[in-house]
Amino acid sequence: GDEWVRVLPTRVVVPTTQAMHSFGAALAAELRAGDIVLATGDLGAGKTTLAQGIGLGLGVEDPVISPTFVLARRHAGADGRPGLVHVDAYRLGSAAELVDLDLDETMDQAVTLIEWGAGIAEDLAGSHLDIDIRRSGDPADETRVVYLEGFGPRWRDVDLSPLSVLPLD
Ligand code: ADP
Ligand code: MG
């Protein structure tokens, strides 16, 4: 069908919190209004930290904090860049509840990042960028490994692999 997936996801090593902010900002340069990013990774993996970096890259001025209790926050971008719709789907049971948040119109004009979105939000749009953030087994090691995988026509010709060789600190 129309489904498309890069065979080898882009893999990015992100050593620190600051590096995750830099990575998110660099990724934001590749993102457009209407894009949907589904972030996965266990609690504390760095999904919200990634959202902060994307916010930096879009010129968001208000603090990007976890939308755990409000489910979604909308942030304006700056200088013609798209805004950021930041969703926490952890408490959502279904895509229908996401649709009930009535974000459609905002999402057209923004980059939408959905924490815990995998398994719920794939059907929101024909295309989505999946970002999986993994920690190493050693709790003393702050390094995260980030896997980026685009699904659908939006990502067919997008090469995100340059992100894996960026100097991040
Ligand atoms: P999540 O939203 O996935 O639950 P958060 O982004 O809220 O995770 O929390 C991640 C925590 O881990 C933050 O306190 C952040 O400062 C810390 N951290 C340490 N190293 C990293 C790293 N390399 N990338 C992202 N966050 C990191
Ligand atoms: Mg979070």
PDB file of all heavy atoms in Angstrom, residues 41-49 51 65-68 86-88 113 115-116, ligand 2:
ATOM      1  N   GLY A  41       9.694   5.891  24.442  1.00  0.00           N
ATOM      2  CA  GLY A  41      10.837   5.720  25.339  1.00  0.00           C
ATOM      3  C   GLY A  41      10.281   5.753  26.744  1.00  0.00           C
ATOM      4  O   GLY A  41       9.324   6.489  27.012  1.00  0.00           O
ATOM      5  N   ASP A  42      10.868   4.994  27.654  1.00  0.00           N
ATOM      6  CA  ASP A  42      10.271   4.878  28.986  1.00  0.00           C
ATOM      7  C   ASP A  42      10.334   6.203  29.750  1.00  0.00           C
ATOM      8  O   ASP A  42      10.902   7.188  29.270  1.00  0.00           O
ATOM      9  CB  ASP A  42      10.921   3.729  29.770  1.00  0.00           C
ATOM     10  CG  ASP A  42      12.417   3.900  29.912  1.00  0.00           C
ATOM     11  OD1 ASP A  42      12.947   4.986  29.589  1.00  0.00           O
ATOM     12  OD2 ASP A  42      13.086   2.946  30.360  1.00  0.00           O
ATOM     13  N   LEU A  43       9.713   6.227  30.917  1.00  0.00           N
ATOM     14  CA  LEU A  43       9.675   7.426  31.744  1.00  0.00           C
ATOM     15  C   LEU A  43      11.102   7.902  32.015  1.00  0.00           C
ATOM     16  O   LEU A  43      11.938   7.117  32.440  1.00  0.00           O
ATOM     17  CB  LEU A  43       8.963   7.096  33.062  1.00  0.00           C
ATOM     18  CG  LEU A  43       8.536   8.281  33.912  1.00  0.00           C
ATOM     19  CD1 LEU A  43       7.417   9.053  33.236  1.00  0.00           C
ATOM     20  CD2 LEU A  43       8.083   7.795  35.281  1.00  0.00           C
ATOM     21  N   GLY A  44      11.367   9.173  31.742  1.00  0.00           N
ATOM     22  CA  GLY A  44      12.692   9.723  31.962  1.00  0.00           C
ATOM     23  C   GLY A  44      13.660   9.497  30.817  1.00  0.00           C
ATOM     24  O   GLY A  44      14.838   9.859  30.909  1.00  0.00           O
ATOM     25  N   ALA A  45      13.186   8.908  29.736  1.00  0.00           N
ATOM     26  CA  ALA A  45      14.071   8.659  28.597  1.00  0.00           C
ATOM     27  C   ALA A  45      14.538   9.966  27.959  1.00  0.00           C
ATOM     28  O   ALA A  45      15.694  10.085  27.528  1.00  0.00           O
ATOM     29  CB  ALA A  45      13.352   7.801  27.550  1.00  0.00           C
ATOM     30  N   GLY A  46      13.643  10.937  27.904  1.00  0.00           N
ATOM     31  CA  GLY A  46      14.028  12.223  27.315  1.00  0.00           C
ATOM     32  C   GLY A  46      13.050  12.751  26.270  1.00  0.00           C
ATOM     33  O   GLY A  46      13.399  13.622  25.471  1.00  0.00           O
ATOM     34  N   LYS A  47      11.822  12.283  26.286  1.00  0.00           N
ATOM     35  CA  LYS A  47      10.823  12.716  25.299  1.00  0.00           C
ATOM     36  C   LYS A  47      10.509  14.209  25.457  1.00  0.00           C
ATOM     37  O   LYS A  47      10.467  14.958  24.477  1.00  0.00           O
ATOM     38  CB  LYS A  47       9.537  11.886  25.434  1.00  0.00           C
ATOM     39  CG  LYS A  47       9.770  10.380  25.247  1.00  0.00           C
ATOM     40  CD  LYS A  47       8.503   9.555  25.408  1.00  0.00           C
ATOM     41  CE  LYS A  47       7.913   9.549  26.799  1.00  0.00           C
ATOM     42  NZ  LYS A  47       8.808   8.960  27.831  1.00  0.00           N
ATOM     43  N   THR A  48      10.286  14.620  26.711  1.00  0.00           N
ATOM     44  CA  THR A  48       9.992  16.044  26.943  1.00  0.00           C
ATOM     45  C   THR A  48      11.229  16.898  26.667  1.00  0.00           C
ATOM     46  O   THR A  48      11.127  18.000  26.119  1.00  0.00           O
ATOM     47  CB  THR A  48       9.487  16.248  28.390  1.00  0.00           C
ATOM     48  OG1 THR A  48       8.273  15.498  28.550  1.00  0.00           O
ATOM     49  CG2 THR A  48       9.193  17.709  28.676  1.00  0.00           C
ATOM     50  N   THR A  49      12.398  16.370  27.010  1.00  0.00           N
ATOM     51  CA  THR A  49      13.643  17.088  26.730  1.00  0.00           C
ATOM     52  C   THR A  49      13.823  17.283  25.224  1.00  0.00           C
ATOM     53  O   THR A  49      14.230  18.361  24.760  1.00  0.00           O
ATOM     54  CB  THR A  49      14.833  16.321  27.341  1.00  0.00           C
ATOM     55  OG1 THR A  49      14.559  16.100  28.735  1.00  0.00           O
ATOM     56  CG2 THR A  49      16.138  17.089  27.205  1.00  0.00           C
ATOM     57  N   ALA A  51      11.308  17.472  23.135  1.00  0.00           N
ATOM     58  CA  ALA A  51      10.301  18.490  22.771  1.00  0.00           C
ATOM     59  C   ALA A  51      10.840  19.897  23.042  1.00  0.00           C
ATOM     60  O   ALA A  51      10.597  20.831  22.264  1.00  0.00           O
ATOM     61  CB  ALA A  51       9.004  18.251  23.536  1.00  0.00           C
ATOM     62  N   ILE A  65       7.102  22.360  28.902  1.00  0.00           N
ATOM     63  CA  ILE A  65       7.113  21.445  30.039  1.00  0.00           C
ATOM     64  C   ILE A  65       6.154  20.302  29.761  1.00  0.00           C
ATOM     65  O   ILE A  65       5.342  20.369  28.849  1.00  0.00           O
ATOM     66  CB  ILE A  65       6.752  22.157  31.360  1.00  0.00           C
ATOM     67  CG1 ILE A  65       5.383  22.819  31.244  1.00  0.00           C
ATOM     68  CG2 ILE A  65       7.835  23.160  31.745  1.00  0.00           C
ATOM     69  CD1 ILE A  65       4.885  23.414  32.544  1.00  0.00           C
ATOM     70  N   SER A  66       6.263  19.267  30.569  1.00  0.00           N
ATOM     71  CA  SER A  66       5.483  18.067  30.306  1.00  0.00           C
ATOM     72  C   SER A  66       3.984  18.365  30.327  1.00  0.00           C
ATOM     73  O   SER A  66       3.465  18.951  31.270  1.00  0.00           O
ATOM     74  CB  SER A  66       5.809  17.008  31.357  1.00  0.00           C
ATOM     75  OG  SER A  66       4.982  15.892  31.116  1.00  0.00           O
ATOM     76  N   PRO A  67       3.257  17.947  29.279  1.00  0.00           N
ATOM     77  CA  PRO A  67       1.812  18.165  29.258  1.00  0.00           C
ATOM     78  C   PRO A  67       1.047  17.011  29.900  1.00  0.00           C
ATOM     79  O   PRO A  67      -0.097  16.743  29.539  1.00  0.00           O
ATOM     80  CB  PRO A  67       1.523  18.263  27.751  1.00  0.00           C
ATOM     81  CG  PRO A  67       2.559  17.402  27.109  1.00  0.00           C
ATOM     82  CD  PRO A  67       3.757  17.344  28.033  1.00  0.00           C
ATOM     83  N   THR A  68       1.657  16.357  30.879  1.00  0.00           N
ATOM     84  CA  THR A  68       1.057  15.157  31.463  1.00  0.00           C
ATOM     85  C   THR A  68      -0.367  15.395  31.962  1.00  0.00           C
ATOM     86  O   THR A  68      -1.257  14.604  31.713  1.00  0.00           O
ATOM     87  CB  THR A  68       1.917  14.649  32.636  1.00  0.00           C
ATOM     88  OG1 THR A  68       3.225  14.429  32.135  1.00  0.00           O
ATOM     89  CG2 THR A  68       1.377  13.340  33.188  1.00  0.00           C
ATOM     90  N   HIS A  86       2.239  20.024  21.695  1.00  0.00           N
ATOM     91  CA  HIS A  86       2.950  19.027  22.502  1.00  0.00           C
ATOM     92  C   HIS A  86       1.901  18.234  23.278  1.00  0.00           C
ATOM     93  O   HIS A  86       1.192  18.781  24.119  1.00  0.00           O
ATOM     94  CB  HIS A  86       3.908  19.779  23.438  1.00  0.00           C
ATOM     95  CG  HIS A  86       4.788  18.895  24.261  1.00  0.00           C
ATOM     96  ND1 HIS A  86       5.505  19.365  25.337  1.00  0.00           N
ATOM     97  CD2 HIS A  86       5.090  17.584  24.169  1.00  0.00           C
ATOM     98  CE1 HIS A  86       6.192  18.378  25.878  1.00  0.00           C
ATOM     99  NE2 HIS A  86       5.962  17.290  25.188  1.00  0.00           N
ATOM    100  N   VAL A  87       1.789  16.954  22.967  1.00  0.00           N
ATOM    101  CA  VAL A  87       0.735  16.113  23.534  1.00  0.00           C
ATOM    102  C   VAL A  87       1.369  14.998  24.363  1.00  0.00           C
ATOM    103  O   VAL A  87       2.414  14.456  23.998  1.00  0.00           O
ATOM    104  CB  VAL A  87      -0.123  15.471  22.399  1.00  0.00           C
ATOM    105  CG1 VAL A  87      -1.241  14.615  22.976  1.00  0.00           C
ATOM    106  CG2 VAL A  87      -0.678  16.541  21.454  1.00  0.00           C
ATOM    107  N   ASP A  88       0.751  14.681  25.481  1.00  0.00           N
ATOM    108  CA  ASP A  88       1.131  13.494  26.232  1.00  0.00           C
ATOM    109  C   ASP A  88      -0.028  12.509  26.149  1.00  0.00           C
ATOM    110  O   ASP A  88      -1.096  12.736  26.723  1.00  0.00           O
ATOM    111  CB  ASP A  88       1.419  13.859  27.690  1.00  0.00           C
ATOM    112  CG  ASP A  88       2.020  12.674  28.443  1.00  0.00           C
ATOM    113  OD1 ASP A  88       1.682  11.519  28.113  1.00  0.00           O
ATOM    114  OD2 ASP A  88       2.818  12.906  29.360  1.00  0.00           O
ATOM    115  N   LEU A 113       4.194  17.049  18.423  1.00  0.00           N
ATOM    116  CA  LEU A 113       4.980  15.985  19.039  1.00  0.00           C
ATOM    117  C   LEU A 113       4.119  15.295  20.084  1.00  0.00           C
ATOM    118  O   LEU A 113       3.605  15.945  20.997  1.00  0.00           O
ATOM    119  CB  LEU A 113       6.253  16.531  19.686  1.00  0.00           C
ATOM    120  CG  LEU A 113       7.093  15.401  20.310  1.00  0.00           C
ATOM    121  CD1 LEU A 113       8.553  15.533  19.943  1.00  0.00           C
ATOM    122  CD2 LEU A 113       6.931  15.340  21.824  1.00  0.00           C
ATOM    123  N   GLU A 115       4.050  12.521  22.919  1.00  0.00           N
ATOM    124  CA  GLU A 115       4.745  11.555  23.778  1.00  0.00           C
ATOM    125  C   GLU A 115       3.830  10.361  23.992  1.00  0.00           C
ATOM    126  O   GLU A 115       2.633  10.515  24.162  1.00  0.00           O
ATOM    127  CB  GLU A 115       5.089  12.208  25.127  1.00  0.00           C
ATOM    128  CG  GLU A 115       6.019  13.394  24.971  1.00  0.00           C
ATOM    129  CD  GLU A 115       6.573  13.918  26.298  1.00  0.00           C
ATOM    130  OE1 GLU A 115       6.740  13.126  27.247  1.00  0.00           O
ATOM    131  OE2 GLU A 115       6.857  15.122  26.366  1.00  0.00           O
ATOM    132  N   TRP A 116       4.382   9.184  24.019  1.00  0.00           N
ATOM    133  CA  TRP A 116       3.624   7.935  24.150  1.00  0.00           C
ATOM    134  C   TRP A 116       2.604   7.783  23.016  1.00  0.00           C
ATOM    135  O   TRP A 116       1.543   7.189  23.213  1.00  0.00           O
ATOM    136  CB  TRP A 116       2.862   7.858  25.487  1.00  0.00           C
ATOM    137  CG  TRP A 116       3.681   8.079  26.704  1.00  0.00           C
ATOM    138  CD1 TRP A 116       3.725   9.228  27.439  1.00  0.00           C
ATOM    139  CD2 TRP A 116       4.566   7.156  27.352  1.00  0.00           C
ATOM    140  NE1 TRP A 116       4.586   9.064  28.510  1.00  0.00           N
ATOM    141  CE2 TRP A 116       5.107   7.809  28.472  1.00  0.00           C
ATOM    142  CE3 TRP A 116       4.945   5.829  27.079  1.00  0.00           C
ATOM    143  CZ2 TRP A 116       6.014   7.195  29.327  1.00  0.00           C
ATOM    144  CZ3 TRP A 116       5.848   5.226  27.933  1.00  0.00           C
ATOM    145  CH2 TRP A 116       6.365   5.900  29.038  1.00  0.00           C
TER     146      TRP A 116
HETATM  147 MG    MG B   2       7.609  13.531  29.213  1.00  0.00          MG
END
